Amino acid sequence: MLKIDNLQVSYGNIKAIKGISLEVNEGEIVTLIGSNGAGKSTTLRAISGLLKPRGGSITFLGERIDGLEGHDVVKKGITHSPEGRRIFPRMTVEENLDLGAFLRNDKAAIAEDKERVLELFPRLRERISQKSGTMSGGEQQMLAVARALMGQPKLLIMDEPSMGLAPVLVDLIFETILKINKQGTTILLVEQNALAALSVANRGYVLESGVIKMSGNAKDLQSDPEVTKAYLGG
Amino acid sequence: MAISFLKRGEKKQKQSASARKWAISLTLIALAIWAFFTYFFDKTPDAVQSWFQVWLPPSTINESLVWVICALGLNIVVGYAGLLDLGFVAFWAFGGYTAGWFMSGFFHQVNIHFGSMSAKVIPGIHLSFWLVMIIAALIAGFFGIIIGAPTLRLKSDYLALVTLGFGEIIPQVFTNGENIGGFNLSNGTKGISPIDAIGVFGKRLGPFDLGWKFLIYFFLAACMVFVSLRIRGGRLGRAWLAIREDELAASMMGVPLMRTKLTAYAVGAFSGGIGGAVYATHVNGIFAERFNFSISIILLAMVVLGGMGNVWGVIIGALLMAWINATGLPAIGDTFNNTFHTAINFPSYNFLLFGGILVLMMLFKRDGILPEARLKMISHENDDEAANTGGH
């Protein structure tokens, strides 16, 4: 579904991504783990068209998408639940959700999807007309995911969905990720919380200083001594 | 699902009902003011008449409406889309010169008449006032896009600086446009005057037909209100708000950033063009030295003072500041000087006053006179950081 080949991204002269290749197949949850500054978010931003890659290619459903503008990538079916949530704080929960469906015109299907995400996150239904900036961090994260889902993505990109959340909420978020995936959305997940990410993912890639250090089945990575030592605090 | 549909339908109905209510009340206000000055003014006691001549002359009312038209346009750029524009005077100038070119004897080489009330023997281009309004709006909108396309890639402060530059460049081009390769574009500092009279229902509006002009200006301002409210409720309005809130997140939702920002700029320029052309008919001429930086600043102050993003607030801000500038300050000054036998030149302190008002507003009422509900939160964000970030 998504195929990244020898991707290179630089900030000025600093090479952040030094030629990585990865693949996400339809129906999978793939996770990209690594420490701070490994280049996880940079990779995601390159996919979403927010950064222009210096080299390599990104192919989605057989089409090159590197170099497209951000809104055109959304049109192709990739939505992004960004790091730090980035919800529209002065808008209500409902307005945020409506903006998630900005590119869609099928009113009936939008209403249906809204119902579906509210089912997924009942807390959001309770707060539907509240200004989203006044909600708790966990609720804001739910909104960020729900908003990304409103774009009817074929591939949902999630950047650090568990960042700064209480442990109970972290569990809830990861349960929801599984649920979303079961409903048919492919997910590319970036996490610092490697343990939790590997427990829900099918496959994983370990990123270190802009290169892929290791990749494979999530179960195998979980028990790999090197990964355990470096990222799982073992 | 069915319930949410119902709610949406109700909301739409409510919106259109309130729009109708506003349209009716605006029309009534306009007719009341018009009827008062046209029919009853002469019958009122002399004291009342002279009070109005000093404190609220009809020409000030008309001029205020010009400011309302432009301030509403700037409100779309600054208030809705959050793009700081310090060069709005450029569009005002484009509108003014369009009126100068197409409603006067300036191009005496040709003799084109279309829908104008001026005598057919007078050379120059004489088009109908309404047609000129449309042309002025289109020309200003076109240049809005030309100027906006390269500059809107910049962010916040940088955008403000570049628009400031264009706001200086365009009037300078007109001021020095007397001889562009042998072609007289703008008549330089001499300006273009007089402008053709506006024709309505076969009647030529002379310089003293302020009542009719009032109705026309009011109509144009009401159109701007209508357009502002309609766009804001629609898809484009939502995209503007999203960009104002968080540009990157808006792009992630699929909002095309450049196109959406350019539209805001073009719609703002469009109304600036109309305002400029209307102003030309109000003062009956175009004078290059009037198009200076202070117009951009006053317009911005009107938007900020009234309440960025709130149409009604911006109208109040525009009316208030236009009145202070044109009538309030001189009248207060005269009264003060006569009472205390002083000779202070009050109008020369207008910028001190505006600056002072803005500082006081920033201290005590940051959101403007009629704040937009959403912006209230921005301006008080730092008062209570935890409430908005959800407590990290």
Side-chain angles (χ1 to χ4, degrees), chain A residues 22 38 73 83 85-86 93 126 140 148 164 174 196 207-208 224 234:
Chain A
L22 62 85
V73 175
E83 185 179 1
R85 301 153 204 155
R86 298 197 91 123
V93 170
E126 289 166 32
Q140 292 188 10
F174 279 103
L207 201 58
E208 205 179 284
D224 187 285

Side-chain angles (χ1 to χ4, degrees), chain B residues 195-219:
Chain B
I195 301 288
D196 291 349
I198 304 172
V200 273
F201 305 124
K203 185 172 151 50
R204 286 189 63 188
L205 301 186
F208 300 107
D209 279 323
L210 293 173
W212 273 103
K213 281 190 187 168
F214 167 78
L215 284 184
I216 292 172
Y217 296 175
F218 199 102
F219 170 74

Side-chain angles (χ1 to χ4, degrees), chain B residues 146-197:
Chain B
I146 298 260
I147 294 174
T151 51
L152 287 173
R153 295 185 189 282
L154 298 169
K155 286 207 172 82
S156 58
D157 307 1
Y158 302 101
L159 174 69
L161 284 177
V162 176
T163 55
L164 175 71
F166 275 108
E168 290 296 297
I169 291 167
I170 305 292
Q172 281 301 317
V173 168
F174 285 121
T175 310
N176 299 301
E178 215 169 346
N179 186 351
I180 300 178
F183 178 71
N184 184 356
L185 180 74
S186 63
N187 216 16
T189 46
K190 291 191 284 296
I192 301 171
S193 170
I195 301 288
D196 291 349

Side-chain angles (χ1 to χ4, degrees), chain A residues 36-107:
Chain A
N36 269 337
K40 300 171 309 233
S41 294
T42 307
T43 309
L44 297 193
R45 285 173 166 225
I47 299 172
S48 297
L50 303 172
L51 286 174
K52 299 272 166 287
R54 170 101 13 130
S57 70
I58 305 171
T59 318
F60 182 64
L61 296 173
E63 268 178 279
R64 285 283 291 264
I65 58 163
D66 46 299
L68 285 187
E69 294 283 335
H71 60 270
D72 288 322
V73 175
V74 180
K75 232 177 257 174
K76 298 271 180 225
I78 301 179
T79 65
H80 197 144
S81 148
E83 185 179 1
R85 301 153 204 155
R86 298 197 91 123
I87 51 160
F88 300 107
R90 264 84 61 176
M91 296 190 185
T92 65
V93 170
E94 184 155 33
E95 285 170 318
N96 266 279
L97 293 179
D98 286 339
L99 267 166
F102 183 77
L103 285 175
R104 299 168 60 190
N105 291 314
D106 42 345
K107 276 199 178 146

Side-chain angles (χ1 to χ4, degrees), chain A residues 140-160:
Chain A
Q140 292 188 10
Q141 184 60 56
M142 294 177 197
L143 179 58
V145 176
R147 186 181 63 174
L149 281 175
M150 287 301 290
Q152 221 178 15
K154 297 184 183 102
L155 173 66
L156 172 65
I157 292 177
M158 301 174 93
D159 197 352
E160 304 279 6

Side-chain angles (χ1 to χ4, degrees), chain B residues 41 129 132 146 258 289 307:
Chain B
F41 190 60
F129 168 77
V132 169
I146 298 260
M258 262 319 275
E289 76 273 14

